[in-house]
Amino acid sequence: MQIGMRLRPASENLHSPACSLGSLEKQQRLPSSNICLKQSTVASRACTQHRSKRSRCQAQVHAAADLAEKPAEASLADFDFEKYSYQRSKMINQALDKALPMAYPPDVVESMRYSLLAGGKRIRPALCLAACELVGGDLEKAIPSACAMEMLHTMSLIHDDLPSMDNDDMRRNKPTNHKVYGEDVAILAGDALLAFAFEHIARATKNVPAERVVQVICEVGKAVGAEGLVGGQIVDLKSEGLGRGVGLETLQYIHEHKTAALLEASVVSGAIVGGANPQQIEDLRKYSRSIGLAFQVVDDILDCTSTSEVLGKTAGKDLATDKTTYPSLLGLERSKEVADELINAAHDALASYDPLKAAPLRALAEFVRSRKN
């Protein structure tokens, strides 16, 4: 940590001119009859002054260190997350509506729009935009990628709610897509959103080097394929009904792939569009993996502590289907501790960044910690 001053080595302090008797004798040239007494007095005063200066210096160092630790907390405390969240959600909703207008054939497009524009937290596109800004990128250039993240997330929800998957009737306090349009249309709407997300990144991203756009497409493709979301979903399906037969390692795999992978892609894609260097991308991977896993741990906690009205989906579903969760393996209190540890790790990953620029990402991490639905 740089604090604007250099601390001298201990050896340099001990042999500084102010405390060197030999140096004082040369400088003072005192008569031999008084040299011992006067030299001792002068040395004593000099060392006292030096100790006083050193104490003041150390006090300044400690004060500077304290101040260096406080800006992130101060910036986060001053950050108006409610206003920020409202503005970003409005921006994202407008961009999504514009990106997917009604068109022929109306059945599938209406189904796509029904779920895509149904509201929600919009945390994935918000993370994408915040990461772009953190590394000094242009917000507007990241909007197509941010929209694509919400399209992919919506696709996963439509498919996840199907009778052959999690079989849910409610999502975001509205009937699930297949309940309104039928399973056949819901499956096709999800497929169409998956394809359109990649098209939108490639077609709508402007004034960004082609190699960055390709890198984003690769990042997103991995996140939603067998190495990401699909991989997590299949292990989750095969683990249902096994209860405690599913260990913590398998549960973590499910959460890291089914949920965290797309959150990671959202953050990293925004950083790539913004021109992040390799170290910045690695830092943001650590941040996003931590909040991604924390997001699902909190989801597990809410499923057994909240209500359907608050969640906007069926509460208690995990327990009813004997699904393995963090609370079922570790207990409720330990699960809360795990979530806190992961959020703290996310904050640590941002420690070297400007507190003001990092405030949105820190606030989003705190939102994951404290969210109610």
Side-chain angles (χ1 to χ4, degrees):
M1 177 173 59
Q2 295 181 346
I3 53 178
M5 59 181 73
R6 182 180 70 89
L7 292 178
R8 292 176 178 172
S11 59
E12 183 177 337
N13 284 335
L14 287 173
H15 298 290
S16 62
C19 290
S20 172
L21 292 180
S23 175
L24 282 171
E25 181 176 353
K26 291 179 181 179
Q27 292 172 12
Q28 299 296 329
R29 301 294 182 185
L30 298 175
S32 59
S33 59
N34 296 327
I35 189 168
C36 291
L37 178 60
K38 291 187 177 181
Q39 183 174 310
S40 176
T41 301
V42 171
S44 176
R45 289 174 180 170
C47 286
T48 298
Q49 292 173 353
H50 178 67
R51 282 196 299 270
S52 178
K53 290 179 180 179
R54 185 171 60 187
S55 296
R56 287 196 300 271
C57 181
Q58 289 174 340
Q60 291 171 351
V61 169
H62 291 310
D66 289 341
L67 287 172
E69 294 174 357
K70 291 178 180 177
E73 296 179 8
S75 296
L76 185 57
D78 294 337
F79 184 71
D80 190 341
F81 180 69
E82 186 174 346
K83 180 179 178 181
Y84 175 86
S85 179
Y86 172 79
Q87 291 174 339
R88 286 291 181 268
S89 293
K90 183 178 179 181
M91 176 190 298
I92 292 159
N93 289 334
Q94 289 174 345
L96 288 170
D97 187 30
K98 182 179 179 181
L100 186 62
M102 277 301 301
Y104 187 85
D107 292 348
V108 71
V109 177
E110 183 181 320
S111 175
M112 293 164 70
R113 284 174 58 84
Y114 173 80
S115 292
L116 185 62
L117 304 178
K121 294 175 284 292
R122 306 303 194 204
I123 189 171
R124 288 156 190 81
L127 285 166
C128 181
L129 297 179
C132 179
E133 289 187 301
L134 176 68
V135 299
D138 182 351
L139 180 73
E140 293 294 324
K141 295 178 181 179
I143 288 179
S145 293
C147 288
M149 302 308 157
E150 192 63 24
M151 294 172 191
L152 293 168
H153 176 55
T154 301
M155 171 276 296
S156 74
L157 298 181
I158 294 174
H159 285 177
D160 199 44
D161 290 336
L162 290 168
S164 58
M165 305 282 267
D166 276 5
N167 192 23
D168 259 313
D169 294 341
M170 295 295 295
R171 175 70 67 176
R172 295 171 174 168
N173 286 315
K174 298 174 67 174
T176 48
N177 196 291
H178 69 274
K179 284 293 180 180
V180 177
Y181 298 97
E183 291 181 45
D184 50 356
V185 175
I187 292 170
L188 292 172
D191 292 346
L193 282 169
L194 173 62
F196 185 56
F198 289 96
E199 177 192 342
H200 191 62
I201 292 172
R203 179 172 49 80
T205 305
K206 305 295 185 183
N207 301 316
V208 174
E211 59 188 32
R212 292 187 197 172
V213 179
V214 171
Q215 194 176 350
V216 168
I217 290 172
C218 290
E219 186 76 27
V220 175
K222 182 178 180 180
V224 297
E227 294 183 60
L229 190 152
V230 171
Q233 181 70 65
I234 190 64
V235 176
D236 188 25
L237 287 172
K238 298 301 181 182
S239 299
E240 283 188 8
L242 299 181
R244 289 183 174 271
V246 178
L248 187 60
E249 185 176 347
T250 300
L251 180 62
Q252 184 169 330
Y253 176 92
I254 293 169
H255 287 349
E256 286 180 342
H257 291 74
K258 184 178 176 180
T259 303
L262 188 53
L263 282 163
E264 179 181 341
S266 300
V267 173
V268 173
S269 295
I272 291 170
V273 171
N277 61 45
Q279 183 58 57
Q280 290 172 323
I281 290 175
E282 182 58 29
D283 292 340
L284 289 169
R285 281 196 191 281
K286 292 177 182 177
Y287 163 85
S288 55
R289 286 172 182 170
S290 294
I291 67 162
L293 184 54
F295 189 96
Q296 191 58 51
V297 174
V298 171
D299 210 58
D300 286 356
I301 293 169
L302 292 174
D303 184 77
C304 60
T305 60
S306 190
T307 65
S308 298
E309 291 73 23
V310 173
L311 292 178
K313 60 182 180 179
T314 307
K317 193 80 182 295
D318 294 341
L319 183 61
T321 58
D322 195 23
K323 196 170 186 178
T324 305
T325 63
Y326 271 82
S328 71
L329 288 182
L330 303 179
L332 190 58
E333 291 308 311
R334 177 56 188 146
S335 297
K336 292 178 180 178
E337 291 173 358
V338 169
D340 284 338
E341 290 165 6
L342 288 166
I343 295 301
N344 292 339
H347 283 300
D348 290 343
L350 301 176
S352 63
Y353 292 86
D354 183 298
L356 291 175
K357 289 184 178 180
L361 287 175
R362 289 185 178 277
L364 284 161
E366 287 303 313
F367 171 78
V368 169
R369 189 205 303 262
S370 62
R371 71 188 181 94
K372 304 301 180 186
N373 56 28

